[in-house]
Structures are given as structure tokens and as C-alpha cells.
Amino acid sequence: MADSDESGGRGLKSVERSFEIIEYLRQVDSSTLSETAEDLDLAVSTAHIYLTTLLKTGYIVKEGNEYRCSFEFLQTGGERRDEMALYQAAKPQLDELQEETGEHTNVTVEERGYSVQLYKSQSPKSIDDDASLGDHFYLHLTATGKAILSKFSEERVTEIIDRRGLPALTDDTITDEDVLREELKEIRERGYSINQGEHFPGVCAIGTAIVSEPDGALGAISISGPLSRITPERIEEELAPALLNTKNIIELKIRQYE
């Protein structure tokens, strides 16, 4: 989910075009020179210049006649993630929570009005939306996203809704702003959010924000699994207490890093 010129200022078209090509290769996995030129409406000679330049940087590679993104992005993103106190504190606790509950657990952060998945501890017994690390989601349709939104000011929520909208991925996605704001009030009172098939059909998740003063919501953690197992009774009696206990431990660990 890329945005063009979010600052509203002037940008270099060549840089923008380079990242358009990178995003294109990410989406299609691999592409030839002619395919890239045709799909991006570029002259073949122009596409060749961009691809050759990106090859020199190491951020794309060429295998036969196919171009694809390289693992440089893994190193860049991995280093950024590994330096985060939230990730360092959350990873071992989420592994424990996954073993305790038998369901997937994960941690996300907010960036540019999206929720970004940093880490997921997967249980062989459970299922979820099968999202990859680094995937970007709309905040209003995931448990972690709604938990993060619940910690934002009304003005910040308005800004994100105006910027990203409230698109639906399933029939259960909240697309009405008033309904969303009412749910955010309930999340603040309850301490955790619930996503019942709003992001992926048949999957339920509960989430809670990780808070650190004075930074506010650093991110959020969640437990997810099939709707048939993540029942209201189980949420109230087992999963919510376990999730909130894990939240407390993570927040205490983060304070030790400060």
C-alpha cells in the first residue's frame, strides 16, 4: 500500500518511478524487461535504464530474463524491526502466549495510518488470515488496528479515516464511522478489541494496545484463530485475561529498555 508524495511537496520523478518498479516487482514476484515496460507503460529503453540502475544498487536481482526484488529488503526491514524495544519485549512473550493458548499470536505497529505486522508466533493447531510479516492492513478491520485506534485522540482517528477511508474486506467489516467510534469507546472501557471475521472470513481475533508513556500506543498484540474456537465465552474466561497479562509483562519489559 504505497502513497505518492504524501508530504505534498515536490518530488523527484525518477525516484518515484524507481519505487513504482520495485513495488511492481514485489506484487508480480518476477518480470521480464518487456513485461515491465508494458505493464508500467514505459518505453523498453527507459525500463531497461531503471532496471539496470536498480540492479547496481542490489535491491533487485536478475535470474535469466526475470527481474525480482532482492533480499536487501529483508536485511533493511529486519534490522529496523530488531532494534525496536517493542519487538524485543514482545517476541518471547508472544511465543509463550501461543503455547499457552494454542492459537496464533502477533504484534503490529502503526505506520502511515496502516497496521504493520512485525512478528507472528504460529500454532500448528490454529488458522488465521495467513498474512506475511511486513504486510500492511487498514487499522479499522483488525483487532490490533482497532486497539491502536482506541488509544488515539479523536482528531488522530479522524485524520486516519479521512486519509485511508473505511474500505470493506468482508461483509462484517465496519464501514460506518459512527459505528467504529462507538466500538472504540467500548474497547477503551473493556481493555481489548474483538475482530469477528472483519478482516478474513471465519477468523476471530482479540487485541490490546501496548502503551508506553509519553509515547502513547507503541503497537498492539493479538490472539487469533477460527471463529469456532474463539468464542465469546472463551474470550472472557481465558483469552482476554491471558492477553492482558502478556500486555502488562511486555510494557514492564519495555520500561527496562528505556
Side-chain angles (χ1 to χ4, degrees):
M1 297 180 180
D3 297 292
S4 61
D5 196 16
E6 290 190 336
S7 66
R10 296 177 61 187
L12 291 173
K13 291 298 182 183
S14 60
V15 176
E16 292 178 355
R17 178 65 76 181
S18 295
F19 278 99
E20 286 176 9
I21 292 173
I22 289 171
E23 181 66 14
Y24 164 75
L25 292 177
R26 184 188 71 81
Q27 292 176 353
V28 301
D29 186 46
S30 66
S31 176
T32 65
L33 170 60
S34 59
E35 289 170 342
T36 302
E38 181 179 356
D39 290 346
L40 296 180
D41 195 24
L42 296 171
V44 172
S45 59
T46 301
H48 184 260
I49 292 172
Y50 277 105
L51 290 170
T52 300
T53 303
L54 289 169
L55 276 172
K56 290 179 180 179
T57 69
Y59 281 91
I60 70 171
V61 294
K62 185 179 182 183
E63 300 172 353
N65 294 323
E66 302 272 327
Y67 297 87
R68 66 174 71 245
C69 293
S70 76
F71 289 115
E72 287 289 340
F73 293 99
L74 178 62
Q75 180 178 1
T76 302
E79 288 178 354
R80 169 76 179 94
R81 182 190 70 167
D82 292 348
E83 292 171 354
M84 297 179 66
L86 173 62
Y87 171 75
Q88 294 174 24
K91 183 179 182 298
Q93 300 308 134
L94 291 176
D95 289 340
E96 289 186 16
L97 184 62
Q98 179 267 121
E99 292 182 4
E100 177 186 347
T101 62
E103 309 293 353
H104 293 330
T105 61
N106 80 349
V107 57
T108 71
V109 293
E110 181 270 335
E111 185 176 73
R112 300 184 300 120
Y114 293 119
S115 174
V116 184
Q117 183 167 242
L118 289 183
Y119 176 71
K120 177 164 63 177
S121 186
Q122 295 179 283
S123 168
K125 304 176 184 178
S126 192
I127 61 168
D128 67 356
D129 54 15
D130 199 29
S132 301
L133 296 181
D135 273 359
H136 288 56
F137 310 113
Y138 291 100
L139 289 166
H140 71 285
L141 47 72
T142 65
T144 52
K146 289 193 289 185
I148 291 172
L149 282 175
S150 74
K151 296 298 181 180
F152 287 166
S153 66
E154 295 294 330
E155 293 76 17
R156 181 81 182 278
V157 173
T158 297
E159 176 189 343
I160 290 174
I161 292 174
D162 289 344
R163 186 178 182 186
R164 302 300 178 202
L166 298 173
L169 288 189
T170 75
D171 292 340
D172 295 312
T173 302
I174 296 174
T175 57
D176 184 284
E177 182 175 343
D178 292 336
V179 174
L180 176 63
R181 289 185 184 276
E182 188 61 34
E183 180 160 341
L184 295 181
K185 291 180 183 178
E186 294 177 5
I187 294 169
R188 295 184 192 105
E189 296 171 357
R190 188 173 53 209
Y192 61 90
S193 60
I194 302 175
N195 158 26
Q196 293 184 304
E198 298 160 48
H199 181 229
F200 196 84
V203 172
C204 181
I206 63 170
T208 190
I210 302 298
V211 179
S212 176
E213 299 297 341
D215 301 314
L218 297 178
I221 59 173
S222 70
I223 302 171
S224 60
L227 274 166
S228 58
R229 284 212 304 265
I230 311 295
T231 62
E233 294 77 18
R234 189 181 178 209
I235 290 174
E236 184 175 352
E237 296 173 8
E238 175 196 350
L239 299 181
L243 184 73
L244 294 175
N245 180 62
T246 299
K247 161 194 167 72
N248 291 336
I249 294 172
I250 292 172
E251 289 176 346
L252 286 171
K253 291 177 69 174
I254 288 173
R255 293 193 188 101
Q256 294 176 349
Y257 298 140
E258 295 174 346

